């Protein structure tokens, strides 16, 4: 049968997927809704920089250009780097820009047949089923529709765009009663730099959120308006932040991101002896987390501003929530250009935002909701079949259940790259794509659907153990080396090179 491969999304993961699929001899087609490559990096605030040091965030076969001197390149430099990668490996001709995928539909095999399968896709192989994916694509310029067919689909759509998480409010307490402007941080980041600057200029801005995007927007507002129009952050939960990555990134790497550090962590499917070692060394694991927390509380005035988290540093590492503070963030708190208020809930009134414990509203002109995204809903919406939609988020699982963080045991001829997170997504996506093309070429044999689902459950339980309430983010940072070892073993390669 034909072996047509369609890739949805031309962000970082989509570019990597296309490059490896091309090297394996396939002729892929990539659908990208934007006018160029880069995904999220096309819509960032002017002040956004790469969180990682560039030495830990680069393609294995395409180094950063010598002209980039900064350790943490700007968003513009990252976008230029991704464009150079796409051009160097001749990926651009395979991309159809301004092409929005409305939905994908698996046609050719009945639901009853698929329910009876013991092996993935009926055979355990990628191109041996009768079904074909029908991909409905809309041209974003002339709004014409086309349906493309492919035997295999690779989803690289990410989860931090498209579907913003908007809180729900009781009647009469939502944005409609507010006289000012309300928007999500996604829409703010999508503005041109001049429009964004004009929006916040000489405005009282209130930001709802406690993670990286909330702090970045607040810093941008503080830089624009100073103490005359202070920016207010309303947050429910404090998280651990690093002052920078030049020094602290090395410490985190030594303490958490190496083989010895993973001896302290229970790993999915580990043998008895490794589990025993992790149990015996658990006091050391606790002690390292406390050491980092103590150092951060000594370095930063967290207690003064009520920013000491109630959970461990290890939990934020395990949930991929560790981030770097904006430049001079605590100086802005000290001078009063940023004000932080803690509240478990909030609501709108005509003048601004009502929060717990305060009789008067926080008077404001603009409210920016840095409240995250519904990545699972975004993924669910792309499937036309209600059965596949239910497979994605309708089960007892609270994460998207992916075997090897790549394929769903119950959805045939489809892979997902870039949904599961790590602390360096380029490296993670490269490893996954290498595994995927080995599978597409017939060099990896999958276990039964039942065994794959058991393996998925092991990984979910592990994320729940260390990630706490944020384990649904599908972050594999705390046992990332163990995960990559499993991929290498599947590919019959030595993981300890």
């Amino acid at each position: 049968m034909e072996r047509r491969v369609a890739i949805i999304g031309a962000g970082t993961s989509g570019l990597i997927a296309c490059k490896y699929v091309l090297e394996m001899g396939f002729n892929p087609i990539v659908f990208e809704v934007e006018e160029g490559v880069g995904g999220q990096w096309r819509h960032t605030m002017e002040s956004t920089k790469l969180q990682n040091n560039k030495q830990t965030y680069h393609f294995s076969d395409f180094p950063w250009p010598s002209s980039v001197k900064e350790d943490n390149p700007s968003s513009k430099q990252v976008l230029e780097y991704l464009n150079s990668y796409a051009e160097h490996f001749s990926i651009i001709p395979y991309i159809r820009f301004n092409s929005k995928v409305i939905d994908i539909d698996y046609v050719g095999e009945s639901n009853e047949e698929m329910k009876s399968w013991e092996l993935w896709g009926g055979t355990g192989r990628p191109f041996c089923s009768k079904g074909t994916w029908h991909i409905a694509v809309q041209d974003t310029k002339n709004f014409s529709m086309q349906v493309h067919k492919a035997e295999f689909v690779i989803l690289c759509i990410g989860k931090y765009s498209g579907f913003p998480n908007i809180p729900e409010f009781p009647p009469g307490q939502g944005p409609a009663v507010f006289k000012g402007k309300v928007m999500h941080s996604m829409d703010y980041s999508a503005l041109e730099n001049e429009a964004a600057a004009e929006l916040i200029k000489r405005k009282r801005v209130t930001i709802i959120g406690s993670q990286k995007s909330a702090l970045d927007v607040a810093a941008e507002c503080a830089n624009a308006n100073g103490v005359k129009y202070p920016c207010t952050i309303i947050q429910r939960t404090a998280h651990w932040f690093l002052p920078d990555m030049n020094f602290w990134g090395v410490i985190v790497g030594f303490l958490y991101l190496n083989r010895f550090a993973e001896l302290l962590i229970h790993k999915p499917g580990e043998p008895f002896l490794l589990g025993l070692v992790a149990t015996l060394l658990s006091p050391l694991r606790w002690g390292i987390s406390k050491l980092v927390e103590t150092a951060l509380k000594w370095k930063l005035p967290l207690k003064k501003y009520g920013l000491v988290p109630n959970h461990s540093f290890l939990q934020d590492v395990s949930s991929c929530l560790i981030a770097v503070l904006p430049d001079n963030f605590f100086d802005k708190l000290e001078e009063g250009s940023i004000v932080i208020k803690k509240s478990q809930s909030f609501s709108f009134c005509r003048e601004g935002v009502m929060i717990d414990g305060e009789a008067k509203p926080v008077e404001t002109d603009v409210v920016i909701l840095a409240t995250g995204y519904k990545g699972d809903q975004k993924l669910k919406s792309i499937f036309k079949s209600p059965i596949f939609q239910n497979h994605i988020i309708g089960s007892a699982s609270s994460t998207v259940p992916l075997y090897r963080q790549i394929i769903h045991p119950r959805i045939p001829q489809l892979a997902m790259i870039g949904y599961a997170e790590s602390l360096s997504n380029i490296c993670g996506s490269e490893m996954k794509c290498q595994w995927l093309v080995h599978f597409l070429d017939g060099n990896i044999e999958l276990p039964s659907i039942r065994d794959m689902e058991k393996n998925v459950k092991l990984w979910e339980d592990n994320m729940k153990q260390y990630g706490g309430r944020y384990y649904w983010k599908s972050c594999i940072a705390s046992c990332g080396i163990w995960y990559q070892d499993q991929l290498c073993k599947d590919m019959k390669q030595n993981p300890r090179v």
Side-chain angles (χ1 to χ4, degrees):
M1 79 183 280
E2 291 188 73
R3 304 204 306 173
R4 295 169 292 187
V5 177
I7 300 170
I8 302 175
T12 305
S13 296
L15 295 178
I16 296 171
C18 186
K19 183 250 186 184
Y20 279 100
V21 167
L22 280 169
E23 288 182 348
M24 195 56 72
F26 293 95
N27 187 30
I29 180 171
V30 183
F31 299 107
E32 168 55 48
V33 67
E34 300 284 352
E35 291 186 332
V37 305
Q40 260 189 295
W41 287 105
R42 295 183 61 81
H43 300 290
T44 59
M45 292 178 290
E46 186 176 15
S47 59
T48 301
K49 294 181 180 180
L50 183 66
Q51 288 289 286
N52 304 61
N53 186 293
K54 67 183 179 185
Q55 279 75 33
T56 65
Y57 192 89
H58 67 89
F59 299 102
S60 60
D61 50 5
F62 191 75
W64 283 89
S66 58
S67 59
V68 178
K69 307 297 184 184
E70 297 84 354
D71 287 328
N72 301 94
S74 68
S75 57
K76 181 181 178 182
Q77 290 171 312
V78 175
L79 192 57
E80 290 172 351
Y81 178 56
L82 296 178
N83 270 292
S84 297
Y85 176 84
E87 291 171 0
H88 178 78
F89 290 105
S90 302
I91 295 171
I92 300 294
Y94 297 90
I95 304 176
R96 293 199 179 186
F97 295 108
N98 302 301
S99 298
K100 180 180 181 180
V101 174
I102 304 301
D103 59 51
I104 60 176
D105 192 22
Y106 186 69
V107 178
E109 288 174 306
S110 67
N111 295 327
E112 289 70 24
E113 284 180 281
M114 288 188 279
K115 282 183 181 179
S116 68
W117 288 343
E118 293 184 5
L119 296 175
W120 186 78
T123 64
R125 289 176 286 181
F127 294 107
C128 292
S129 302
K130 295 181 295 183
T132 303
W133 284 102
H134 290 203
I135 306 161
V137 181
Q138 182 185 61
D139 187 303
T140 59
K141 290 191 172 180
N142 60 27
F143 303 104
S144 62
M145 293 286 296
Q146 283 186 312
V147 176
H148 298 263
K149 296 180 181 180
E151 279 65 48
F152 202 93
V153 169
I154 306 175
L155 287 180
C156 304
I157 59 176
K159 56 183 175 182
Y160 294 117
S161 63
F163 272 65
N165 178 40
I166 305 297
E168 296 182 358
F169 301 92
Q173 298 180 26
V177 303
F178 175 51
K179 66 180 180 181
K181 185 175 182 60
V182 181
M183 66 192 310
H184 193 270
S185 57
M186 176 187 76
D187 301 310
Y188 176 77
S189 298
L191 294 173
E192 296 292 334
N193 293 334
E194 295 78 9
E198 187 62 30
L199 174 72
I200 62 175
K201 187 177 181 180
R202 292 192 293 274
K203 302 279 178 48
R204 298 167 299 177
V205 180
T206 297
I207 300 162
I208 312 296
S210 56
Q211 297 182 23
K212 177 61 176 170
S213 58
L215 271 57
D216 280 351
V217 176
E220 203 157 279
C221 293
N223 289 334
N225 294 326
V227 296
K228 189 172 182 180
Y229 298 94
C231 174
T232 302
I233 302 175
I234 298 175
Q235 64 173 219
R236 182 170 54 187
T237 306
H239 288 278
W240 294 102
F241 282 83
L242 300 177
D244 60 71
M245 287 299 287
N246 293 329
F247 177 68
W248 287 89
V250 173
I251 291 180
V252 173
F254 275 126
L255 295 179
Y256 287 99
L257 307 176
N258 55 69
R259 289 191 181 276
F260 174 75
E262 289 196 7
L263 285 176
L264 314 183
I265 302 292
H266 286 287
K267 296 164 284 293
E270 65 189 359
F272 173 77
L273 285 178
L274 282 181
L276 179 61
V277 169
T279 299
L280 294 175
L281 294 180
S282 59
L284 180 57
R285 180 177 70 231
W286 178 87
I288 288 174
S289 187
K290 289 299 177 185
L291 175 65
V292 176
E293 292 164 24
T294 300
L296 286 172
K297 286 187 281 189
W298 172 78
K299 175 76 173 178
L300 304 172
L302 301 178
K303 188 173 182 180
K304 178 179 179 180
Y305 296 104
L307 295 177
V308 179
N310 293 324
H311 55 270
S312 70
F313 185 83
L314 173 62
Q315 181 174 319
D316 271 357
V317 169
S318 302
S319 305
C320 292
L321 288 174
I322 293 297
V324 177
L325 287 165
D327 293 340
N328 305 313
F329 181 77
F330 281 98
D331 292 341
K332 294 178 175 64
L333 282 175
E334 183 70 30
E335 71 183 13
S337 58
I338 295 178
V339 177
I340 293 182
K341 295 177 178 287
K342 296 195 72 172
S343 178
Q344 291 302 303
S345 62
F346 74 99
S347 59
F348 287 92
C349 63
R350 178 171 172 76
E351 293 77 20
V353 177
M354 299 294 301
I355 62 174
D356 297 340
E358 295 194 8
K360 294 184 178 180
V362 178
E363 296 185 2
T364 187
D365 303 304
V366 179
V367 175
I368 300 176
L369 302 173
T371 46
Y373 296 83
K374 295 182 177 180
D376 51 355
Q377 293 290 340
K378 177 182 180 181
L379 193 58
K380 175 181 177 179
S381 69
I382 204 168
F383 291 95
K384 190 171 184 178
S385 163
I387 293 175
F388 284 175
Q389 290 181 354
N390 190 57
H391 286 332
I392 291 295
I393 58 171
S395 65
S397 171
S398 297
T399 61
V400 175
L402 301 177
Y403 176 71
R404 295 293 191 249
Q405 310 299 326
I406 300 171
I407 62 174
H408 193 293
R410 299 281 175 180
I411 301 179
Q413 298 171 219
L414 180 135
M416 303 178 200
I417 302 294
Y419 186 85
E421 296 180 67
S422 65
L423 295 182
S424 181
N425 286 330
I426 282 185
C427 175
S429 292
E430 283 190 324
M431 286 295 296
K432 290 174 188 136
C433 287
Q434 289 185 41
W435 185 96
L436 178 58
V437 296
H438 272 74
F439 174 59
L440 293 178
D441 203 40
N443 298 323
I444 292 177
E445 185 176 337
L446 296 179
S448 68
I449 290 175
R450 187 179 297 275
D451 286 342
M452 284 197 288
E453 289 177 335
K454 288 180 181 178
N455 183 271
V456 168
K457 183 67 164 57
L458 282 174
W459 280 88
E460 181 177 331
D461 290 344
N462 182 265
M463 293 176 197
K464 189 181 298 185
Q465 179 179 1
Y466 293 108
R469 59 183 288 196
Y470 296 99
Y471 78 97
W472 51 266
K473 286 174 63 67
S474 296
C475 173
I476 52 175
S478 59
C479 53
I481 297 172
W482 176 259
Y483 166 72
Q484 294 191 10
D485 284 353
Q486 310 311 307
L487 298 186
C488 288
K489 290 173 183 176
D490 289 348
M491 294 184 283
K492 300 177 178 60
Q493 295 179 357
N494 178 15
R496 296 176 181 269
V497 294

